[in-house]
Amino acid sequence: MGKQSYRVCFCFRRWFHVGVSEPPEAIESLFNQYSENGIMTVDHLHRFLVEVQKERNPKKEDAQAIIDSMDDQLNLKHPHSSDQRKGLNLEAFFKYLLSEKNSPLCPSRGVHQDMKAPLSHYFIYTGHNSYLTGNQLNSKCSAGPIKDALKSGLRGIELDLWPSSKKKDGVEVCHGGTLTAPVDLTTCLETIKKYAFDASEYPVVITFEDHLPPNLQDKVAELVTGIFDKKDLLTADSDGSECLTEFPSPESLKGKIIISTKPPEDKAKDKENELPKSTSCHVNFPPFMKMFNHTWKRVCGRKAKHQEYPRPSASSSADEAEWGEEVPNLKGIIKTTNGSTNDKDYSDEEGSTNADGDSEKTQQNVVEAPKYRHLISMHAGKPKGGLKEWLKVEVDRVRRLSLSELQLERAVTKKYGQDIVRFTQSNVLRVYPKGLRIDSSNYNPLIAWSHGAQMVAFNMQGYGRPLWLMHGMFRANGGCGYVKKPEFLLEKTGLYRDLFDPEVNLPVKTTLKVTLYSGEGWDKEFHHTYFDACSPPDFYAKVGIAGVPGDTSSMTNQTEPIKDSWVPAWNKEFKFQLTVPELALLRIEIHERDDILQKDDFGGQTCLPVSELRQGIRAVPLHDRKGNEYKNVKLLMSFELI
């Protein structure tokens, strides 16, 4: 056990012993129950795996493999065993519980859900403005974020296409009406080709927000077909028809690229009506600029080093500065939306263009681009009229619809919730952030998921609680980027009568009991004065549930801070009653209490899908703000469904 010194009042130093992680009393008691003379043999460990860990059909060979893997962790031989089989002492058993092999999600399961249903039956890991490195106003456009997203398992990439007189191909990718520096479309497409299937073999959907005249649309088609092999693309006639009547399955689309946007109209106009080739993504958007005038000045005035992702302003609470805004649930949204008189959505995708990327001028004066039309396999578009028309289900075709988060919230509050569920049973709904999220923040994805929306598009370059929920959802199903929707979102009749309604109070289906024993590893990740210059950290934990409104719990469930310790032992139990566990996410945050500055420092977070939690005692790795897993920081927890 070492010592650490902390400076006090410039002249003095305080010394603290650095504690080591020790088995909590409950773990020691379990070991004594499943061991003999201080040794846990193969038979003991096998019984522990069955009775405590609730493993599915474990074999004694599995128990032996665990013991063999702990050879470097103080293995001992049973002193009274005739065949001298190896076993685990308390220290080795504790190390096993904290090892990667004992994770809360089973790593060996991989992709285990049925992948042969239509694409509309899955939640799809989707990004918004995937080329941006930071905020929505003046950050750099790059292929780097696309690479990072694909390598993390993202399956939905969005590219905004604009004419350019400066680019060799006449097309650039950028966020229109802003100071974002553009990137070549060719660079983005080549990056997608290179990294599309590094993390997952299932299809990648490229959504084009298209601001191009027809001649450049066909140029885009030439670029796409030149970069991707024909066998890699799902084109409009791949199944013998131009418009799909049912989406293919992820299984049948392994290794495929799907292009989704609104196809050109089936009528030609005079070419003099085409948009000028010199049109750029940085002109003709005065309403957009006026709308964000105040925020524009604030963000653009920041130093360059803050461009990548501006932190919240000084007026934000200290908690939000570290953690991002708390995730609102649907009940809170209903209260604010119903009383709102100024709820216009100034969205970048709904202002000068429709949600599927076609400018008003282009829609009125369009020349059919046959090559481009042939490329589009997932048709997008909004029929004329309001929500009722948008959500109509057509018998002979399927399509993609885009709604902003505000449009979705209004649809739900105006009692269109079940229409959305019905629409998403066969069609694809994409939801994207409202235009006022210029800091690249995000919204509550559970509102969209609980109504069946497949493509919940997020700004992946930031951090904060909503993004952590997104990460948590797509840790399911082996992290392949596709998660099968619960059956109740797909059935037209059944347990939930007509169609599922997440706002309806339902009976409790199960109770999740969570016990938080202890944590370790911060001293290996951080300098000893990182959290507090005068003493070791005071860690405490918050635990909650995100799900349908009836299941969502605030993060007020917390432990007491453990003073001056790098290895806190909380031994705290929490219980959560769940009506829809299929959509529930377990949220865990570690805070470091700073009484002097009256704020909490960030100590780690994770979010886990309840439907895939392994019961028993597990080692839960924590992640940083951006969702990257720490090498050493983990919690010892137990999970039980009762």
Side-chain angles (χ1 to χ4, degrees):
M1 181 182 294
K3 290 184 177 182
Q4 292 175 342
S5 67
Y6 295 83
R7 186 181 296 277
V8 182
C9 298
F10 303 102
C11 303
F12 303 97
R13 285 187 175 275
R14 300 173 68 193
W15 291 86
F16 291 87
H17 288 287
V18 180
V20 296
S21 184
E22 296 180 347
E25 183 177 333
I27 301 301
E28 188 171 352
S29 176
L30 264 177
F31 177 80
N32 292 335
Q33 182 181 345
Y34 289 91
S35 65
E36 183 180 351
N37 297 326
I39 299 298
M40 181 179 283
T41 65
V42 170
D43 290 336
H44 292 131
L45 181 55
H46 179 261
R47 190 160 60 91
F48 172 80
L49 295 176
V50 172
E51 298 176 1
V52 178
Q53 302 296 74
K54 311 293 184 186
E55 298 285 2
R56 298 178 180 178
N57 303 315
K59 300 176 182 178
K60 289 190 177 181
E61 289 81 358
D62 300 325
Q64 184 65 59
I66 292 172
I67 292 175
D68 291 342
S69 70
M70 304 299 291
D71 279 342
D72 296 330
Q73 308 291 338
L74 297 178
N75 283 336
L76 296 176
K77 294 182 179 180
H78 194 302
H80 303 294
S81 175
S82 58
D83 57 0
Q84 295 290 289
R85 289 179 296 178
K86 294 180 180 178
L88 301 175
N89 66 3
L90 175 60
E91 183 179 353
F93 174 65
F94 185 51
K95 288 181 182 295
Y96 157 66
L97 291 179
L98 284 168
S99 68
E100 293 181 1
K101 299 179 183 296
N102 193 38
S103 63
L105 305 179
C106 184
S108 62
R109 291 186 75 186
V111 179
H112 56 273
Q113 297 176 355
D114 174 21
M115 302 300 286
K116 296 180 180 179
L119 208 66
S120 56
H121 289 202
Y122 300 84
F123 298 126
I124 304 172
Y125 200 7
T126 304
H128 171 256
N129 289 352
S130 306
Y131 49 86
L132 286 179
T133 57
N135 67 67
Q136 303 286 311
L137 290 181
N138 68 331
S139 65
K140 182 182 177 183
C141 301
S142 167
I146 298 173
K147 170 187 172 182
D148 295 340
L150 291 169
K151 289 179 75 67
S152 70
L154 206 79
R155 299 291 86 189
I157 298 292
E158 182 190 24
L159 301 177
D160 289 16
L161 308 183
W162 291 86
S164 173
S165 57
K166 298 179 180 179
K167 300 296 182 183
K168 178 179 65 175
D169 300 320
V171 181
E172 63 188 12
V173 175
C174 69
H175 192 201
T178 68
L179 293 182
T180 55
V183 61
D184 290 338
L185 173 60
T186 302
T187 303
C188 294
L189 294 176
E190 288 175 344
T191 300
I192 294 172
K193 178 179 173 63
K194 184 174 182 180
Y195 297 103
F197 305 108
D198 273 17
S200 170
E201 60 186 342
Y202 291 98
V204 171
V205 181
I206 305 177
T207 302
F208 286 154
E209 188 184 326
D210 171 10
H211 306 265
L212 302 174
N215 63 311
L216 289 182
Q217 289 178 337
D218 268 350
K219 180 63 178 177
V220 169
E222 293 173 5
L223 288 175
V224 172
T225 54
I227 291 173
F228 296 99
D229 296 334
K230 185 177 180 179
K231 63 179 179 61
D232 296 334
L233 294 168
L234 177 67
T235 52
D237 62 352
S238 293
D239 67 341
S241 63
E242 184 176 292
C243 188
L244 296 173
T245 57
E246 183 181 66
F247 288 114
S249 69
E251 185 71 26
S252 68
L253 295 174
K254 282 183 177 179
K256 292 283 188 182
I257 300 292
I258 302 170
I259 303 298
S260 179
T261 189
K262 183 172 182 178
E265 300 292 337
D266 289 324
K267 55 183 179 179
K269 294 290 184 181
D270 195 331
K271 287 189 178 181
E272 67 183 15
N273 289 327
E274 291 182 14
L275 289 176
K277 293 183 181 180
S278 61
T279 300
S280 123
C281 70
H282 300 301
V283 297
N284 296 329
F285 284 88
F288 184 91
M289 300 299 294
K290 290 177 182 177
M291 180 172 43
F292 294 127
N293 182 48
H294 173 73
T295 314
W296 175 272
K297 291 179 180 178
R298 177 169 59 86
V299 176
C300 292
R302 296 176 184 270
K303 293 182 180 180
K305 67 179 181 179
H306 294 306
Q307 279 191 14
E308 286 303 301
Y309 190 77
R311 296 292 295 274
S313 65
S315 61
S316 300
S317 69
D319 185 62
E320 288 182 5
E322 287 292 329
W323 303 85
E325 295 181 4
E326 183 53 89
V327 180
N329 64 27
L330 187 56
K331 291 179 180 177
I333 288 170
I334 290 174
K335 291 179 182 178
T336 57
T337 305
N338 283 347
S340 173
T341 58
N342 182 23
D343 60 352
K344 184 176 180 182
D345 183 9
Y346 295 106
S347 168
D348 55 340
E349 295 181 44
E350 292 287 323
S352 61
T353 66
N354 69 16
D356 300 291
D358 294 274
S359 69
E360 293 174 4
K361 184 173 181 181
T362 305
Q363 292 181 62
Q364 296 168 2
N365 308 292
V366 68
V367 177
E368 183 181 9
K371 295 178 183 177
Y372 189 67
R373 186 181 184 87
H374 172 75
L375 194 68
I376 303 166
S377 54
M378 183 183 285
H379 288 201
K382 284 178 180 172
K384 291 182 179 180
L387 277 167
K388 189 173 181 179
E389 295 298 319
W390 296 350
L391 295 171
K392 271 190 175 178
V393 177
E394 301 175 68
V395 177
D396 58 346
R397 68 190 294 258
V398 290
R399 58 189 169 93
R400 175 178 66 79
L401 172 68
S402 286
L403 296 177
S404 73
E405 60 172 292
L406 285 183
Q407 288 175 323
L408 176 69
E409 290 166 8
R410 289 188 213 117
V412 172
T413 57
K414 292 179 180 178
K415 307 304 179 184
Y416 283 97
Q418 291 196 329
D419 295 284
I420 297 172
V421 173
R422 182 182 294 107
F423 179 84
T424 56
Q425 288 178 344
S426 55
N427 297 280
V428 169
L429 175 60
R430 176 178 172 269
V431 181
Y432 58 89
K434 61 187 178 183
L436 291 174
R437 293 191 181 278
I438 57 173
D439 59 350
S440 293
S441 60
N442 289 297
Y443 50 100
N444 182 0
L446 267 305
I447 299 170
W449 287 331
S450 63
H451 288 88
Q454 296 89 347
M455 302 182 74
V456 182
F458 259 38
N459 296 307
M460 305 304 295
Q461 68 272 34
Y463 69 87
R465 289 173 168 124
L467 186 58
W468 302 340
L469 296 183
M470 179 67 71
H471 293 158
M473 170 62 83
F474 289 99
R475 289 189 178 108
N477 201 24
C480 73
Y482 284 82
V483 174
K484 188 79 158 53
K485 295 200 296 187
E487 286 302 315
F488 55 74
L489 285 172
L490 302 171
E491 58 189 12
K492 295 174 175 56
T493 58
L495 176 64
Y496 302 103
R497 296 183 182 178
D498 181 18
L499 291 165
F500 177 70
D501 185 350
E503 296 179 64
V504 172
N505 291 326
L506 298 169
V508 173
K509 186 179 290 186
T510 189
T511 298
L512 174 65
K513 185 170 80 171
V514 176
T515 304
L516 176 56
Y517 295 113
S518 60
E520 68 169 33
W522 289 278
D523 57 325
K524 298 180 177 66
E525 297 276 354
F526 303 98
H527 189 269
H528 73 283
T529 59
Y530 178 85
F531 294 104
D532 193 328
C534 300
S535 66
D538 307 329
F539 289 123
Y540 72 98
K542 290 186 175 184
V543 182
I545 292 288
V548 298
D551 291 348
T552 299
S553 64
S554 64
M555 298 295 281
T556 55
N557 302 286
Q558 62 185 60
T559 68
E560 291 296 322
I562 304 300
K563 291 286 187 180
D564 302 333
S565 176
W566 287 102
V567 284
W570 297 287
N571 297 304
K572 177 77 172 180
E573 181 181 291
F574 306 92
K575 287 185 178 180
F576 303 99
Q577 292 186 328
L578 303 176
T579 62
V580 188
E582 298 90 342
L583 292 175
L585 298 168
L586 177 65
R587 301 172 56 194
I588 305 164
E589 298 176 357
I590 302 299
H591 296 234
E592 197 280 326
R593 175 69 56 81
D594 192 327
D595 294 325
I596 297 176
L597 298 179
Q598 295 296 306
K599 74 178 186 68
D600 287 350
D601 291 325
F602 179 89
Q605 58 81 25
T606 194
C607 188
L608 301 167
V610 171
S611 62
E612 297 215 354
L613 278 178
R614 300 164 76 191
Q615 296 193 67
I617 302 167
R618 304 295 173 183
V620 180
L622 293 185
H623 302 78
D624 63 18
R625 290 184 184 87
K626 285 186 170 291
N628 300 313
E629 186 176 318
Y630 289 123
K631 293 181 179 179
N632 301 290
V633 182
K634 62 189 69 174
L635 306 175
L636 187 65
M637 305 181 69
S638 74
F639 308 107
E640 185 180 358
L641 293 171
I642 54 179

